[in-house]
Amino acid sequence: MKSKRSFFMILLFVIMLIAVVVCVSVTIGAVDISPSDVAKIIVNKTAKKNIFVPGWEDKTENIIWNIRFPRVIMAFIVGAGLALCGVLMQALTKNSLADPYVLGISSGASAGAVCVIVLGWFSFMGGYSVIFGATLGAALSITLSMKIASIRGRITSTQLVLAGIATSALFSATTNLIIYGCHTGSDKTKTALFWMVGSLSGATWGKVKYVAIVFAITVVIVFIFSKPLDVLLLGDDVAETLGVDSKKIKLVIIAASTVLTGVVVSVSGVIGFVGLVVPHIVRNVTGSKHKRLTPMAILVGGLFTVITDLISRVIIAPAELPIGVISAFFGAPFFLYLIRRNSVSRK
């Protein structure tokens, strides 16, 4: 990125593209609704009064305001959150192959959520039990990955990625064992399958609210530590020389990523590769400075997930594919490309 002007031009273009995609996503679905009605409904609901005289049925208003619009907003926040976690994980490991999915955090969170749904763990926490279970599972998975990757007290980025892949497989197997081994009712089993493949069909304004709060707090933390994150990319030894407490920064990264991933997975299930693909593409445009990388990754991550969710809803309408399937179709080939490129660069 050569200048601030070009960066802001690209940022403005992405924001405009997001606005267009959001409008299309709210309009298109199993029931097509005119863009003008969509706009009028949103304005009326936002203003909490009838600025426009309703010329539509009540069910149309319900579809837009209580089903599609919160789902689109949730898709954006989920994608932005996963992209942000990818930025943090790649700064932690100094490896472009790292993200919450590859490092096993998403699989751990999914296993925790399934334990709550199928086995009834943490039921004393009421409506927050799934969030707590997913966050706890995410924490256990990243802790296990780091323990496995530790060699003589040091953790190399390559070892962490390999350990994360193994941890992800372990927690995915645990999730499958719980679902297919515990016959506790078909409804619970179907609900648990949701966490394995990813879906945003359960989005509500209540869920949007608490995910947005956790996401906003994480964004603030990342911006506060943006300069130390830049220094961390130079290596632990250089960071210590420049007066940056690398252990403290890594602890902040792990804590923020774990909590945000746990909360995101608690509402969306496992959506792979968003945190891998988006930060890598954005870094090639903006560079590695986190003051530019972070906002762009957040916007592009949200845009990517809104688009994939739209595809999942319309490709076999009126039924829908899990969003995790669509994201994997984009992400898996890109992951293989990164592995091959990294292998070639080392020769």
Side-chain angles (χ1 to χ4, degrees):
M1 186 65 60
K2 293 182 179 180
S3 67
K4 287 185 178 181
R5 183 179 179 181
S6 57
F7 169 74
F8 284 114
M9 289 293 290
I10 295 175
L11 198 67
L12 180 61
F13 172 75
V14 173
I15 292 172
M16 292 173 62
L17 189 59
I18 289 170
V20 172
V21 172
V22 166
C23 291
V24 173
S25 296
V26 177
T27 303
I28 296 177
V31 177
D32 287 334
I33 302 171
S34 69
S36 62
D37 284 348
V38 170
K40 290 175 183 178
I41 291 170
I42 292 174
V43 169
N44 283 358
K45 285 293 186 178
T46 304
K48 295 184 179 180
K49 61 181 180 180
N50 288 337
I51 295 176
F52 296 99
V53 178
W56 51 81
E57 298 180 7
D58 290 340
K59 68 176 183 179
T60 301
E61 185 172 302
N62 183 61
I63 289 171
I64 294 300
W65 187 251
N66 294 321
I67 299 176
R68 289 189 189 171
F69 198 49
R71 177 168 178 159
V72 170
I73 299 300
M74 181 68 83
F76 182 86
I77 296 174
V78 165
L82 291 174
L84 181 60
C85 288
V87 169
L88 294 176
M89 288 291 100
Q90 289 172 18
L92 173 68
T93 62
K94 294 175 282 294
N95 191 322
S96 60
L97 298 178
D99 83 328
Y101 182 81
V102 174
L103 295 183
I105 304 177
S106 295
S107 298
S110 177
V114 168
C115 284
V116 172
I117 295 167
V118 178
L119 303 180
W121 290 8
F122 314 117
S123 57
F124 62 90
M125 300 194 71
Y128 296 97
S129 57
V130 175
I131 303 173
F132 182 78
T135 304
L136 182 60
L140 288 174
S141 63
I142 188 61
T143 301
L144 181 59
S145 295
M146 294 184 70
K147 288 289 185 183
I148 295 172
S150 178
I151 301 174
R152 297 174 184 175
R154 295 183 66 88
I155 299 175
T156 65
S157 59
T158 302
Q159 285 294 116
L160 185 57
V161 170
L162 294 174
I165 292 172
T167 303
S168 179
L170 175 64
F171 277 95
S172 294
T174 302
T175 303
N176 283 318
L177 179 63
I178 294 170
I179 290 175
Y180 293 103
C182 300
H183 301 287
T184 55
S186 59
D187 289 340
K188 289 185 177 181
T189 302
K190 289 177 181 178
T191 304
L193 288 171
F194 156 83
W195 306 102
M196 297 177 60
V197 292
S199 174
L200 294 165
S201 59
T204 62
W205 284 117
K207 292 179 180 179
V208 168
K209 187 182 296 183
Y210 71 71
V211 176
I213 291 171
V214 175
F215 171 69
I217 292 172
T218 307
V219 170
V220 171
I221 291 172
V222 173
F223 275 107
I224 290 173
F225 289 95
S226 59
K227 287 186 177 180
L229 284 171
D230 292 339
V231 176
L232 193 63
L233 294 175
L234 301 175
D236 293 349
D237 295 335
V238 175
E240 294 290 347
T241 303
L242 295 174
V244 173
D245 189 344
S246 59
K247 289 184 179 179
K248 177 183 176 182
I249 299 302
K250 288 181 178 180
L251 184 62
V252 170
I253 290 174
I254 293 169
S257 300
T258 300
V259 172
L260 182 56
T261 302
V263 171
V264 166
V265 170
S266 75
V267 297
S268 69
V270 178
I271 303 175
F273 299 109
V274 178
L276 172 71
V277 173
V278 173
H280 189 82
I281 292 174
V282 171
R283 189 176 285 108
N284 288 333
V285 176
T286 65
S288 297
K289 286 189 176 182
H290 285 85
K291 277 193 174 180
R292 293 186 178 185
L293 174 63
T294 301
M296 188 68 79
I298 287 171
L299 292 176
V300 176
L303 175 63
F304 176 82
T305 310
V306 172
I307 291 173
T308 52
D309 181 57
L310 175 61
I311 294 172
S312 74
R313 287 193 290 115
V314 302
I315 194 169
I316 57 170
E320 65 176 66
L321 281 175
I323 188 174
V325 174
I326 306 299
S327 67
F329 269 113
F330 286 107
F334 192 82
F335 182 64
L336 295 173
Y337 160 74
L338 287 180
I339 293 175
R340 182 172 178 79
R341 197 186 70 168
N342 287 353
S343 299
V344 172
S345 64
R346 290 193 186 103
K347 292 182 180 178

